[in-house]
Amino acid sequence: MNNYLQRIGFTVWRRKTTIIVLGGILAFLIFGVNFIRVPEKDDYMKEERDAQVIADALLRSINVKFVETVNRFKGNSAQPTESTNMDQNKEDLTVKNQVESLEIEQQLGIPFVNLDSKRPYVPSKRIVHFDLKGAPPRISYLKRLFPLIKTMGATGILMEYEDMFPFSGFLKNITAKNAYTVEQIKEILDLAEESKLDVIPLIQTFGHVEFVLKHPEFSNIREVVGSPQALCPSRNSSLNFIKELVTQVMVLHPNSKYLHIGCDEVFQMGECDVCRLELHETLFLRHVRKVANIVHEKYPEVRVIIWDDMLRHLSQQTMIDMNLGKLVEPMVWVYAEDIYRFVQPPVWDKYAVVFKTAWTASAFKGAFGETMYIPNTKRHLENNLRWLDVMSQQSSVFKQGMAGIVLTGWQRYDHFAVLCELLPAAVPSLAINLIAVSKGYFNSSLKDQFLSALSCPIQNNLRNSPFISLDSDPFMWEKLSKCMFPGSPFFRLTYRLHSTEKETNEYLHLTKKQKGWMTDYNIRHNYSLPLRVEELTNELPRVYHGMISLARSAADAMLDIFDGYTISEWIEQHIYPYIIELETIQNQSLALKSVNQWPSRPLPPLKDFKRLGIPLSVN
Ligand SMILES: *[C@@H]1O[C@H](CO)[C@@H](O)[C@H](O)[C@H]1NC(C)=O
Ligand SMILES: *[C@@H]1O[C@H](CO)[C@@H](O)[C@H](O)[C@H]1NC(C)=O
Ligand SMILES: *[C@@H]1O[C@H](CO)[C@@H](O)[C@H](O)[C@H]1NC(C)=O
Ligand SMILES: *[C@@H]1O[C@H](CO)[C@@H](O)[C@H](O)[C@H]1NC(C)=O
Ligand SMILES: *[C@@H]1O[C@H](CO)[C@@H](O)[C@H](O)[C@H]1NC(C)=O
């Protein structure tokens, strides 16, 4: 999508004459009437969507070009104007002020989304997702975070416990060894209550039950014998398991009005002997109904939420026949920028017929790459702003409007994946996105709220220095380098990781690839010039110690946020491989330098070529 937009932007840029004309039109739009309104939902046919996308892209690139035109205009305005009319001059001044403030907004790099500036849409519930299947925070960290997210506009939290819940009885073994205790869960709930945050527990009950099905004692309820991804919905023992799961979680959440039962990404369905005879639609919906009934039998007041992705392709009639609208509320999730590309208008129409209300889910981290360590705030902000646009359009379509939005913050993509961006590195992204969905927009008028929430030093009114600059600084490393929010030392550490990593990769590339004396060939044949090897390893100790010291600082920065397992996993993932690679080079250099007599050329061909079937004939 981005590429597509960039391409359009580029084409537009090349057609400068057209731009100037369009720039004029834009000026009219800004100063004259108001922004083009997005067409009513009913008008959204496919072609019109495409037209809208192109129009959006045009507006964006024109916006950029427009500021350049404005700059030229400002440069000229120092000279006396030809007009002698006083009113004309005054008008010029107002225009100039508007131009200046527009220019300041442009520098912030806030993605352009066509929101209604007169009546911003604010979702009534704004929930922050805590994904505990990776890097569970210490209670003391949550204690600092809850009041913070409250002041930034959150109304609740979605706790995805996975194996961090203290299960007991026959579920005991699915609990992680570093899970929260019952007392700690109660403490978390008390802390949430102190901050007036509602708590919605989330437990997976169909797909993504890897944390359960990986264990031998639960392998009998797998859908596919060799895979722990999905539960078999056709076995009584599956339902017994779910009953126990629901009960144990609900017992610790007596005040929760909602229970999220997951049900996303059920990759394996209809494969076991029993399930094979059924349609996927029926299998899925019948299981959801069973789980919802399990919840309602014991907790009739609790409302059940499911992720929506498995519903996107189901027929409206089947969902109505199953009475799905009475059983569950869908949570429509899209973390990429363009919401309608993933959930198209006809899907929304279908949902509006089946359900009275719907939830939405955006992301503030954990959506743009499994191994990232810092979220790209610009992309996440665009996702959240576009959700506001979509929600304002769709809320009128559902009988009871939209229930609310969840800002998801994934810590792993699934139980088996490595850690992605950690929570403390994503607090700035959470702040900007949470404030945005709590206000219905984000612009410089929210600067003070944003900076004070993150405990940033008061800026001495430097007019020409924007408080964020998402185009050149999408991770906000530079602009927020002096802030003191919970976890800021770790946030800063990711910047250091970025620069240390860059320097190390440059060294590795130079040494192993670019220069001709320490490549894998040299190492395999133990054949190099010691003088050159010496030269190539001059910088090695400095680079190596940089990495070691980074690893030690990382452990320090995470000490009051995570337990030792998380700290260890993160350092092993992001820093340790470099340390080993540098050590290997050190060892290899010693081997190369210890040679002082060399065979005559040619060197023997690689024996391994034979295995690979590469035909070679040397006498
Ligand atoms: C920020 O956006 C709001 C809502 O659209 C608008 O009322 C306000 O004037 C904007 N402020 C600035 C500085 O652009
Ligand atoms: C838990 O695992 C242990 C060790 O693998 C096993 O002996 C025990 O029976 C299991 N407990 C339950 C309740 O399944
Ligand atoms: C599952 O339980 C139901 C009702 O309790 C029973 O009728 C059915 O035979 C059981 N199925 C299996 C496969 O045990
Ligand atoms: C490098 O050599 C040292 C000394 O022989 C050894 O302890 C170390 O494990 C080696 N490192 C690597 C990465 O091979
Ligand atoms: C390279 O040569 C040195 C010195 O003869 C020797 O100690 C070392 O084991 C050799 N290394 C390899 C990889 O053949």
Side-chain angles (χ1 to χ4, degrees), residues 523 526 591 594-595:
I523 312 284
N526 220 357
S594 67
V595 184

Side-chain angles (χ1 to χ4, degrees), residues 250-287:
M250 288 310 292
V251 162
L252 275 189
H253 293 80
N255 302 325
S256 287
K257 296 186 200 69
Y258 295 93
L259 175 66
H260 197 312
I261 59 167
C263 295
D264 58 324
E265 302 185 323
V266 189
F267 295 134
Q268 289 161 328
M269 232 196 321
E271 298 194 26
C272 81
D273 290 344
V274 193
C275 297
R276 199 176 293 158
L277 311 168
E278 301 272 3
L279 288 174
H280 277 201
E281 288 210 340
T282 327
L283 273 175
F284 181 77
L285 290 178
R286 201 191 285 154
H287 184 67

Side-chain angles (χ1 to χ4, degrees), residues 86 118 174 220 224 229 248 266 296 324 444 575 604:
M86 289 276 285
K118 300 259 161 34
I174 64 178
N220 62 320
V224 173
Q229 208 268 333
Q248 292 196 13
V266 189
H296 290 144
L324 200 62
S444 62
I575 306 179

Side-chain angles (χ1 to χ4, degrees), residues 169-173 216-218:
F170 77 93
L171 302 183
K172 196 175 191 315
N173 282 354
E217 53 272 45
F218 293 97

